Amino acid sequence: MSEVRWGILSTATIARTKVIPGIQGAAHCRVVAIASREAGRAQEVAATLGIPAAHGSYEALLADPEVDAVYIPLPNHLHAEWTLAAVRAGKHVLCEKPLALTSADAERMVAAADAAGVLLMEAFMYRLHPSWVAVCELLASGRIGRLVSVQSWFSYFNDDPTNIRNIREYGGGALFDIGCYSVNLSRLLFGDEPTGVQATVRRDPATGVDVLTSGLLEFADGVSAFTCSTRAEDDQRVHIYGTKGRISIEIPFNIPPDRPTHVFVTSGGDPPVNPATERLTFEGADPYSVEAAAFATAVLDGRPVPVPPADAVANLRVIERLFEAGARLSPSSG
């Protein structure tokens, strides 16, 4: 094999507007098929995006011998079902976050992929972007001393009750949709699992989904605090504090593919009045292309994926603990 032939399991917006173009622009990748439960919709999207094959069911795509790997952007509550179906069909799987709605389901998915000899990875596209690779290298180098605290925020406004992100049984809500990034980056930066978890969870009284969740993750060497909301102004930020400096990431999650991005490193000078801050510039790089290329390389070289699926299980365990902590603090939030 010199390339990975991708099938897309759904015509979801994120697939059409971001991930498919990203895969099509990635090295050693080709999108060869797309599926929808409506054949006409699959054909329409295939024609628009130049995809050779359109299938009128997910089962048909999984039976397609021309497909080596599938990308799954289905609603959260369908991730486990269709990842397991893809694994049974012998396909490698890149599945949107969160990998499942429970850590137990995620464990079953990981075990099934291992047994079938196929690769499985959760699609946290930000982690492999050059800006985040540089941030991890800066931390490892001791540039800001010992890591002591991480602060992050991720929000957007969506009060449409018909949107899947506002349907509780579909896995909607702020924590599953965007707070999972803050949990993931906290574990990534500290290189550990939290020893303690605290949270407040505010839910929409009509839909039941969490719309404003704040979490405090205690690690052996420091703490991470975050807030995520689906009822606030669109914004995202990450600040990383060490004993000798700090790092701020300009656009940490929805990294634009077509313009430079920046990371600000502050160390020395005369803080807080006149700190010494260096701006690191990273040329435009599509995070979805980077992700797809890294996944394809693992498939072609017979190596593990760059982010092991066990990481997705661990992330869900923390999310479960956050929901539990929020329910204890405010029973009405459960």
Side-chain angles (χ1 to χ4, degrees):
M1 293 173 61
S2 60
E3 64 179 3
V4 171
R5 300 168 299 177
W6 289 83
I8 312 300
L9 214 64
S10 163
T11 57
T13 299
I14 188 175
R16 300 193 319 271
T17 62
K18 295 183 178 181
V19 182
I20 292 173
I23 295 175
Q24 289 173 325
H28 308 298
C29 292
R30 184 160 57 96
V31 180
V32 299
I34 189 166
S36 171
R37 286 172 169 163
E38 299 179 9
R41 180 59 175 159
Q43 291 164 0
E44 176 188 350
V45 174
T48 300
L49 296 177
I51 300 172
H55 295 288
S57 72
Y58 303 150
E59 292 89 349
L61 185 143
L62 295 181
D64 188 339
E66 297 299 311
V67 172
D68 304 310
V70 296
Y71 165 67
I72 299 179
L74 292 164
N76 295 341
H77 71 300
L78 297 177
H79 289 179
E81 174 186 351
W82 288 102
T83 292
L84 290 169
V87 165
R88 288 193 296 269
K91 312 299 185 186
H92 304 288
V93 180
L94 177 66
C95 180
E96 265 306 328
K97 51 74 196 165
L99 190 65
L101 293 186
T102 68
S103 59
D105 278 348
E107 286 180 323
R108 290 195 301 117
M109 296 156 73
V110 174
D114 287 344
V118 298
L119 298 183
L120 170 62
M121 190 170 88
E122 185 177 35
F124 272 117
M125 76 296 186
Y126 82 97
R127 286 182 61 142
L128 303 176
H129 189 272
S131 60
W132 272 98
V133 172
V135 166
C136 292
E137 291 173 347
L138 285 166
L139 279 178
S141 74
R143 176 73 178 275
I144 64 168
R146 180 177 62 83
L147 174 63
V148 295
S149 181
V150 177
Q151 296 180 348
S152 58
W153 172 281
F154 200 174
S155 63
Y156 63 86
F157 193 91
N158 178 357
D159 61 356
D160 177 4
T162 67
N163 188 283
I164 59 172
R165 291 172 179 82
N166 287 316
I167 301 175
R168 190 170 183 177
E169 56 267 33
Y170 288 3
L175 186 53
F176 271 138
D177 190 38
I178 51 180
C180 60
Y181 284 89
S182 292
V183 174
N184 191 265
L185 73 89
S186 301
R187 297 174 45 256
L188 170 67
L189 297 175
F190 278 104
D192 202 355
E193 300 302 326
T195 57
V197 170
Q198 301 176 49
T200 61
V201 178
R202 299 280 182 90
R203 293 189 180 275
D204 183 300
T207 65
V209 299
D210 67 298
V211 296
L212 179 65
T213 294
S214 293
L216 181 66
L217 308 180
E218 304 171 44
F219 292 87
D221 296 324
V223 297
S224 175
F226 74 89
T227 295
C228 59
S229 178
T230 57
R231 296 291 195 276
E233 176 195 21
D234 289 15
D235 194 20
Q236 51 189 263
R237 60 180 180 268
V238 173
H239 301 300
I240 303 165
Y241 292 86
T243 53
K244 298 180 180 179
R246 65 182 186 271
I247 300 171
S248 296
I249 304 171
E250 185 178 55
I251 306 176
F253 306 123
N254 299 126
I255 305 169
D258 56 352
R259 68 189 69 183
T261 55
H262 305 99
V263 170
F264 300 89
V265 184
T266 299
S267 182
D270 184 24
V273 177
N274 188 30
T277 299
E278 178 185 5
R279 185 176 77 165
L280 306 180
T281 299
F282 300 86
E283 294 305 316
D286 189 329
Y288 297 100
S289 293
V290 174
E291 177 182 63
F295 188 92
T297 297
V299 172
L300 296 172
D301 292 350
R303 298 178 181 176
V305 289
V307 182
D311 186 82
V313 178
N315 217 59
L316 279 163
R317 287 177 180 148
V318 177
I319 289 172
E320 290 167 342
R321 293 171 68 188
L322 285 162
F323 278 131
E324 291 168 2
R328 288 195 301 270
L329 184 65
S330 175
S332 63
S333 74

